[in-house]
C-alpha cells in the first residue's frame, strides 16, 4: 500500500464550475481505535456533496474530502476493532458517530444526536482511494453485488427509506415524489414493491423519462397538479417553493416529508389552504443505523436496483457539475479503485 494518495478535497466553497473541489495529495490514513481502514471501490456522488462544495453546508474542516456512499474492502483494523475481518466488503454512510448517551440516542433517535458527526463533512469521506470508519457505523455488504450498484443505497437509499417512513404512506396509498433524482428513483421502487401508486413531479426530460421507464402512474412537471389527491408526498428537490404545492395536493390527513439536508426558503403558508384538515408537514434529518439495516434487508428481497451512471475517479468534479445542472438521471457513482 502506498503511503500517499490523491483525493478530492473542498478548498474554498463556491459554485461548482469555479473549481471549489481540488485534487490534492494526502497521506493514507491509519485506522484509530475501533476503526477500520477501507480501500474504496466505489463512492456515490450525492447532492449533499454538491451543497458542501458550494457552501450551502459549511465545511467543518479545511480541505475536507466529501463522499458518503462508500463501498470498499477492509484492509486494516485499529485496536479493539474486531467486528470485521480483513477483506470484508462494507459500506460507509453519512452518519459517522453519535454520543450514545444523550436523550435522543437513548430513545433510538440517534439521527438527532447533538454531538453526531458525518462522513465527508466532519471527517474525510470516499472521494479518495482509502478512508476510515468507526466499525460500529459501517454496514456489512454482499460481496457478490457490484460495488457501483450498492453505493447509492448508502445515502440516497437510506434517506429515501427514512423519508418514506416519515411520509406515513398507508398500504396501497398514492405517493407523490417531487424531484426524481438518485434518492427518489430508489424510493419509488421501494414504495411500488409494497403496493403504492406513484406520481412523479419533476423538472428535466431525463428525470421524467426515467420515471416513465419505471411505469409510474403519472409523470408531470414539478409545478403540476397530480390527477388525483395524494395520501403522502416526499419533496426531494431542494426547492422550498414545492412544499406548499405538495401540501395542497394532499388528501385530508395526508403527510408531506421533506427529505433534503438543504432547502431553499419555504414560502409563507396559508393555514386554510395548505395545512387545515390535519395535513402534516415533516422534515427528515439524517438517518439511524437501524434505517440502513432495515433498508438492506428489503433490498435483499425486493426488486430494487439503482439506475447508475459510473464515472472515473478523475472526473468527480465534472460529475458534480452535471448534477448541479441536472444533466443525466438516476445515481452518479465514481469508480475509485
Amino acid at each position: 500500500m502506498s503511503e500517499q494518495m490523491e483525493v478530492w478535497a473542498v478548498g474554498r466553497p463556491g459554485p461548482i464550475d469555479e473549481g471549489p473541489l481540488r485534487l490534492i495529495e494526502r497521506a493514507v490514513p491509519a485506522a484509530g481505535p475501533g476503526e477500520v481502514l477501507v480501500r474504496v471501490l466505489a463512492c456515490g456522488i450525492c447532492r449533499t456533496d454538491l451543497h458542501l462544495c458550494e457552501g450551502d453546508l459549511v465545511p467543518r474542516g479545511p480541505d475536507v474530502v466529501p463522499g458518503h456512499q462508500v463501498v470498499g474492502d477492509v484492509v486494516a483494523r485499529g485496536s479493539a476493532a474486531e467486528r470485521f475481518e480483513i477483506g470484508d466488503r462494507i459500506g460507509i454512510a453519512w452518519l459517522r458517530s453519535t454520543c450514545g448517551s444523550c436523550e435522543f440516542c437513548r430513545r433510538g433517535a440517534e439521527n438527532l444526536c447533538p454531538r453526531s458527526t458525518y462522513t465527508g463533512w466532519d471527517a474525510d469521506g470516499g472521494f479518495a482511494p482509502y478512508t476510515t470508519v468507526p466499525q460500529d457505523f459501517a454496514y456489512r455488504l454482499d460481496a457478490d453485488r457490484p460495488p457501483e450498484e450498492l453505493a447509492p443505497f448508502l445515502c440516497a437509499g437510506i434517506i429515501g427509506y427514512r423519508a418514506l417512513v416519515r411520509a406515513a404512506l398507508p398500504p396501497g396509498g398514492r405517493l407523490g415524489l417531487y424531484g426524481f433524482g438518485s434518492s427518489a428513483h430508489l424510493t419509488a421502487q421501494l414504495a411500488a414493491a409494497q403496493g403504492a401508486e406513484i406520481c412523479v413531479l419533476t423538472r428535466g426530460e431525463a428525470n421524467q423519462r426515467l420515471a416513465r421507464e419505471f411505469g409510474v402512474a403519472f409523470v408531470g412537471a414539478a409545478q403540476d397538479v397530480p390527477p388525483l389527491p395524494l395520501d403522502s408526498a416526499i419533496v426531494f428537490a431542494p426547492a422550498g417553493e414545492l412544499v406548499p404545492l405538495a401540501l395542497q395536493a394532499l388528501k385530508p390527513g395526508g403527510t408531506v416529508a421533506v427529505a433534503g439536508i438543504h432547502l431553499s426558503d419555504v414560502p409563507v403558508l396559508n393555514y386554510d389552504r395548505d395545512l387545515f384538515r390535519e395535513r402534516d408537514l415533516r422534515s427528515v434529518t439524517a438517518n439511524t443505523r437501524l434505517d440502513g439495516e432495515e433498508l438492506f434487508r428489503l433490498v435483499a428481497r425486493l426488486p430494487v436496483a439503482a439506475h447508475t451512471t459510473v464515472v472515473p475517479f478523475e472526473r468527480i468534479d465534472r460529475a458534480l457539475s452535471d448534477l448541479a445542472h441536472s444533466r443525466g438521471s438516476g445515481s452518479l457513482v465514481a469508480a475509485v479503485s
Side-chain angles (χ1 to χ4, degrees):
M1 184 190 306
S2 172
E3 294 182 355
Q4 297 291 119
M5 61 181 182
E6 284 195 322
V7 306
W8 286 101
V10 179
R12 178 179 297 176
I16 191 63
D17 293 330
E18 295 181 9
L21 193 65
R22 304 176 300 144
L23 197 58
I24 65 173
E25 193 169 84
R26 178 78 55 81
V28 173
E35 294 182 344
V36 294
L37 176 65
V38 177
R39 180 171 69 94
V40 179
L41 301 175
C43 186
I45 299 169
C46 179
R47 187 166 292 275
T48 300
D49 301 317
L50 179 63
H51 291 318
L52 188 71
C53 291
E54 297 196 321
D56 298 320
L57 296 180
V58 178
R60 290 180 169 174
D63 289 330
V64 67
V65 177
H68 55 274
Q69 301 181 99
V70 183
V71 178
D73 291 336
V74 175
V75 294
R77 304 188 296 180
S79 61
E82 300 177 348
R83 182 181 172 206
F84 299 108
E85 301 294 332
I86 302 299
D88 281 355
R89 180 69 46 83
I90 67 170
I92 304 173
W94 176 238
L95 185 67
R96 180 180 175 85
S97 72
T98 59
C99 74
S101 60
C102 69
E103 61 174 304
F104 301 106
C105 287
R106 291 197 306 270
R107 74 181 195 210
E110 64 181 2
N111 60 307
L112 302 178
C113 173
R115 294 189 288 278
S116 56
T117 66
Y118 299 93
T119 307
W121 192 15
D122 295 281
D124 289 342
F127 288 1
Y130 295 92
T131 192
T132 62
V133 63
Q135 63 172 1
D136 292 339
F137 285 81
Y139 296 92
R140 192 180 301 276
L141 298 180
D142 181 357
D144 292 330
R145 295 187 68 169
E148 295 83 3
E149 179 183 314
L150 288 173
F153 288 100
L154 287 153
C155 178
I158 293 174
I159 293 300
Y161 173 72
R162 184 168 186 86
L164 185 59
V165 173
R166 293 282 291 164
L169 182 68
R174 185 175 300 112
L175 175 66
L177 301 178
Y178 288 79
F180 203 70
S182 183
S183 192
H185 93 283
L186 296 174
T187 307
Q189 294 176 69
L190 283 172
Q194 298 176 69
E197 180 182 321
I198 312 295
C199 296
V200 171
L201 302 106
T202 187
R203 69 176 187 175
E205 292 183 4
N207 286 338
Q208 292 180 2
R209 183 166 56 251
L210 180 61
R212 292 189 182 96
E213 290 175 5
F214 283 114
V216 303
F218 173 79
V219 178
Q223 307 291 331
D224 286 349
V225 177
L228 293 170
L230 306 172
D231 294 287
S232 303
I234 304 173
V235 177
F236 286 103
E241 65 270 18
L242 296 179
V243 172
L245 298 180
L247 285 166
Q248 292 163 29
L250 291 179
K251 295 177 182 177
T255 301
V256 169
V258 180
I261 191 173
H262 171 77
L263 189 74
S264 62
D265 289 344
V266 178
V268 174
L269 298 177
N270 178 281
Y271 178 70
D272 184 63
R273 181 191 62 206
D274 302 330
L275 291 171
F276 191 56
R277 305 194 74 189
E278 299 193 350
R279 298 183 182 96
D280 286 343
L281 176 60
R282 298 178 171 183
S283 66
V284 176
T285 300
N287 64 276
T288 68
R289 283 170 284 179
L290 182 60
D291 292 327
E293 292 163 3
E294 291 176 348
L295 171 69
F296 283 111
R297 282 196 291 270
L298 288 172
V299 169
R301 64 181 181 84
L302 295 177
V304 180
H307 173 89
T308 58
T309 299
V310 179
V311 300
F313 178 77
E314 296 77 13
R315 292 179 59 89
I316 284 179
D317 58 338
R318 298 185 188 181
L320 280 166
S321 177
D322 289 341
L323 183 61
H325 297 294
S326 300
R327 296 189 290 258
S329 60
S331 300
L332 289 167
V333 179
V336 180
S337 59

